[in-house]
Amino acid sequence: MFDTTARHVKPALNLTLQGIAGSPGIAIGKAYLVEQEDIDVVEKRFVKPENISGEVRRFKEGVKKAQQQLQSVIEEVPGELKDHTYILHAHMMLLKDRMIYNGTIEHIERESVNAEWAVKIAVDEVKSIFKKMPDPYFRERASDITHVSKLILGNLLGAGPSNISHIDKRVIIVAHDLSPAETTQMPLEKVKAFLTDLGGQTSHTGIIARSLEIPAVLGLGNATQLIMTDTLIIVDGSAGVVIADPDEETLTRYQERKDLFEQYQAMITRSSHLPAETTDGFHLTVMANIEVFEEVVSVIDRGGDGIGLYRTEFLYLNRPTPPSEQELFDNYRDVAEIMAPRTVTIRTLDIGGDKFASGLELAEEMNPALGLRAIRFSLQSPEIFETQLRAILRAANLGNVRIMFPMISQVDEVVQAKQMLNQAAESLEKGGIPFSPNIEVGAMIEVPSAVIMADILAKEVDFFSIGTNDLIQYSLAIDRVNKQVAHLYQPLHPAVLRMVRRVVEAAKEAGIGVYMCGEMAGDPVNLPVLLGMELDAISMNPISIPALKMLVRMLSLKESKLFLEEALKQPTTTEVVKLVQDTYGPLFPKAGFSQPSQD
Ligand code: PEP
Ligand code: MG
């Protein structure tokens, strides 16, 4: 049990902090505060001309030492984390990134400043590019640059990397931020949960915590200032809530929730390989969204029926030139072969605007979310596009692969993309290279114009995949990464429901498949309406699959259809949410979910 003696002297504070739900689950335990060396405060010094080359040398040695430090971390990564060493390899490449490495040297030489200052300036420049990216995954990569620059600065300032490998009891880690190197160095069997001031859903701490099923709450702002080592805390990773110094009643309540959650997890894991079939026999295909090959294992473990969205951007990042056809083919083939006979849906490159890839020449844009992104970029970069199309067609010969184009806003874009696909097929044919000519072609529906044109678009493709992350952003005019308007980002907004319904109807009328791969599909609260729509498949973060499949098995298609009709009559999100709550509320706690809310 917990040591509660101190509470008799001083009343409990019950200090509640709200952060971002990084990884689900409940943990109760003592905090362990990870102190950070303060290397953010870098002083500017001018260097005499005769000392410039020495300063450049000092910088190069700092980078070299950082490479050696990362190499030894990579060598010591424990078995269960080997899948995540790609992050550390990416950091290795970032150390030599042209903009950071050459940029720092140029600043030292041009402005006669000390190496620390030059690193800070070069890194700030690169970070500002990342921070403007519309996609949260890429925006979050700014933190990778910070971690890498801290390694270099630590060496220049003689601070050395922080060492947290010595934790000797099971604790809740509280840190300002954690680099992947720090996370992987921790004795993870001693970590009950992670709390960080910085970071969001897509930060590496979140990704690693989710894959290891350790609860995490991120983006807490100032947790490190409010929580001290040994403070008793409750972490609710599903709700993003932290309670420091809880009273007895709160402790008991969360202990019960923790037991319920764990029982529920054990139950859904046991049942994750059963099909997602409703009580009246309707089978919903439940697939996974992945970003890197390494996630395939977790998709299979969690009973995913296939890959509904393979975001292919990762292979284009942190490198001087775009990947070759062979490299792409090897990667796609591996995913296709391991998943076979299940389907793998490869989305062509969704990069551009300010979505950054060091090997690609991209212009600065005022409004990157409305700029040269996704299919627009691919159609204007025929060489890069053709290379990817050839690789996908070749991989399709070795598995059940289909292709889809992102951010379609005009019928012409689909027509042109298909022409290029045909050209790629012809060139493979001429070269005698094996490929599949029968690949299914889909369009992502994530722009309002595509919703309106769905009946016409449906004549051009074999399936639609509704990307609600962008569809909500573009239709409700809510920047998907802007915290200020996050409360208005509402998947159950009547306008969103009507748009989804329209797309499904157009697809059914044309006899083509219709899927959903936005985050909306992975939240159990939205399932009754989505089931009522009769989507053919939903695709989500692999970790959400078992719970979603379980909930499908508790619902009936017939009732969900009637429920959808009621939901579509509601004038506001609040009313739709209330309807979900009134109708399905009792099911959510039974299935271990939190009650639906409007936040
Ligand atoms: C979407 O927009 O819903 C989607 C799945 O694509 P992404 O999140 O990669 O933009
Ligand atoms: Mg999108």
Side-chain angles (χ1 to χ4, degrees), residues 92 228 377 544:
M92 226 23 160
M228 285 179 301
F377 172 83
S544 311

Side-chain angles (χ1 to χ4, degrees), residues 310-323:
Y310 181 14
R311 295 185 166 101
T312 55
E313 294 79 35
F314 202 81
L315 281 176
Y316 293 76
L317 298 181
N318 302 326
R319 52 188 302 151
T321 50

Side-chain angles (χ1 to χ4, degrees), residues 347 350 355 373 406-407 444 446 467 469-470 480:
R347 177 179 74 182
D350 185 358
K355 276 186 171 183
R373 254 193 83 175
M407 234 195 124
M444 282 194 74
E446 43 187 354
N469 304 342
D470 277 314
R480 64 192 258 189

Side-chain angles (χ1 to χ4, degrees), residues 162-472:
S162 62
N163 185 0
I164 35 182
S165 54
H166 60 272
I167 303 166
D168 57 359
K169 49 185 182 198
R170 295 202 70 213
V171 289
I172 292 172
I173 298 287
V174 185
H176 184 61
D177 192 16
L178 286 171
S179 70
E182 286 168 326
T183 315
T184 45
Q185 269 177 307
M186 271 183 209
L188 290 159
E189 68 286 359
K190 305 262 169 57
V191 179
K192 286 186 171 185
F194 288 110
L195 304 184
T196 57
D197 290 341
L198 304 185
Q201 270 265 330
T202 51
S203 64
H204 289 308
T205 309
I207 294 172
I208 292 177
R210 282 197 294 278
S211 86
L212 295 174
E213 297 178 16
I214 297 176
V217 179
L218 314 171
L220 280 157
N222 57 353
T224 48
Q225 282 156 34
L226 300 169
I227 296 173
M228 285 179 301
T229 291
D230 278 344
T231 307
L232 181 63
I233 37 183
I234 297 171
V235 178
D236 182 346
S238 315
V241 168
V242 175
I243 304 170
D245 195 13
D247 59 28
E248 289 299 333
E249 194 217 310
T250 313
L251 256 182
T252 313
R253 193 157 34 93
Y254 272 91
Q255 185 62 49
E256 282 168 6
R257 273 201 212 177
K258 182 172 179 307
D259 294 345
L260 260 177
F261 183 84
E262 284 167 4
Q263 283 166 19
Y264 168 69
Q265 280 305 104
M267 179 176 67
I268 56 170
T269 309
R270 281 196 302 273
S271 66
S272 64
H273 290 275
L274 299 176
E277 201 167 290
T278 59
T279 52
D280 50 353
F282 173 75
H283 180 263
L284 181 66
T285 302
V286 181
M287 303 177 113
N289 296 349
I290 62 164
E291 263 113 36
V292 289
F293 165 72
E294 285 76 6
E295 286 173 280
V296 168
V297 178
S298 115
V299 176
I300 294 174
D301 280 355
R302 294 195 158 93
D305 296 324
I307 307 284
L309 167 64
Y310 181 14
R311 295 185 166 101
T312 55
E313 294 79 35
F314 202 81
L315 281 176
Y316 293 76
L317 298 181
N318 302 326
R319 52 188 302 151
T321 50
S324 65
E325 179 183 319
Q326 190 60 36
E327 193 180 336
L328 293 175
F329 167 65
D330 288 344
N331 179 281
Y332 303 159
R333 179 202 52 212
D334 288 351
V335 178
E337 281 184 347
I338 294 184
M339 287 307 296
R342 306 174 191 88
T343 309
V344 174
T345 317
I346 303 183
R347 177 179 74 182
T348 62
L349 195 57
D350 185 358
I351 210 160
D354 264 5
K355 276 186 171 183
F356 179 78
S358 41
L360 307 176
E361 290 295 325
L362 304 170
E364 278 250 339
E365 291 180 319
M366 282 279 282
N367 254 324
L370 306 180
L372 190 63
R373 254 193 83 175
I375 194 68
R376 304 172 182 183
F377 172 83
S378 293
L379 290 174
Q380 289 201 24
S381 315
E383 264 179 46
I384 294 172
F385 196 32
E386 199 191 332
T387 305
Q388 187 177 30
L389 295 175
R390 284 171 56 106
I392 296 172
L393 285 168
R394 288 172 60 190
N397 197 36
L398 299 162
N400 186 359
V401 172
R402 57 189 183 206
I403 186 170
M404 68 180 175
F405 302 119
M407 234 195 124
I408 295 298
S409 63
Q410 326 262 342
V411 176
D412 315 10
E413 285 166 341
V414 178
V415 173
Q416 276 181 46
K418 283 193 340 191
Q419 275 166 1
M420 298 215 33
L421 188 65
N422 285 339
Q423 280 165 24
E426 275 164 28
S427 71
L428 287 169
E429 176 110 64
K430 269 196 204 129
I433 302 168
F435 71 100
S436 168
N438 303 321
I439 193 166
E440 273 190 38
V441 178
M444 282 194 74
I445 305 294
E446 43 187 354
V447 178
S449 59
V451 176
I452 308 273
M453 298 300 288
D455 52 334
I456 312 279
L457 275 171
K459 298 191 181 120
E460 296 293 338
V461 289
D462 302 305
F463 66 93
F464 284 154
S465 188
I466 308 174
T468 49
N469 304 342
D470 277 314
L471 186 58
I472 296 171

Side-chain angles (χ1 to χ4, degrees), residues 453-508:
M453 298 300 288
D455 52 334
I456 312 279
L457 275 171
K459 298 191 181 120
E460 296 293 338
V461 289
D462 302 305
F463 66 93
F464 284 154
S465 188
I466 308 174
T468 49
N469 304 342
D470 277 314
L471 186 58
I472 296 171
Q473 152 161 284
Y474 293 126
S475 57
L476 303 186
I478 307 296
D479 181 349
R480 64 192 258 189
V481 295
N482 184 339
K483 266 190 170 176
Q484 314 263 54
V485 287
H487 62 290
L488 297 171
Y489 194 93
Q490 299 161 345
L492 291 177
H493 190 296
V496 176
L497 299 185
R498 281 160 196 239
M499 283 188 289
V500 174
R501 156 83 137 214
R502 188 185 173 103
V503 176
V504 174
E505 278 176 357
K508 303 253 178 228

Side-chain angles (χ1 to χ4, degrees), residues 39-108:
I39 48 174
D40 288 335
V41 193
V42 169
E43 282 183 10
K44 180 176 183 179
R45 277 187 293 108
F46 285 102
V47 177
K48 290 188 188 147
E50 62 269 30
N51 293 337
I52 299 259
S53 60
E55 201 61 16
V56 170
R57 205 174 325 115
R58 203 163 72 78
F59 164 67
K60 288 184 177 171
E61 277 160 14
V63 173
K64 203 161 159 206
K65 199 161 162 202
Q67 283 175 318
Q68 288 159 357
Q69 287 159 340
L70 272 179
Q71 190 52 44
S72 57
V73 174
I74 291 172
E75 279 158 21
E76 284 161 22
V77 165
E80 73 270 27
L81 282 181
K82 284 278 184 243
D83 282 356
H84 293 281
T85 47
Y86 72 91
I87 303 167
L88 300 169
H89 286 290
H91 282 193
M92 226 23 160
M93 280 155 75
L94 271 180
L95 281 170
K96 280 290 178 86
D97 179 87
R98 192 170 45 82
M99 287 181 73
I100 299 175
Y101 191 82
N102 297 359
T104 301
I105 296 174
E106 275 168 30
H107 281 293
I108 298 175

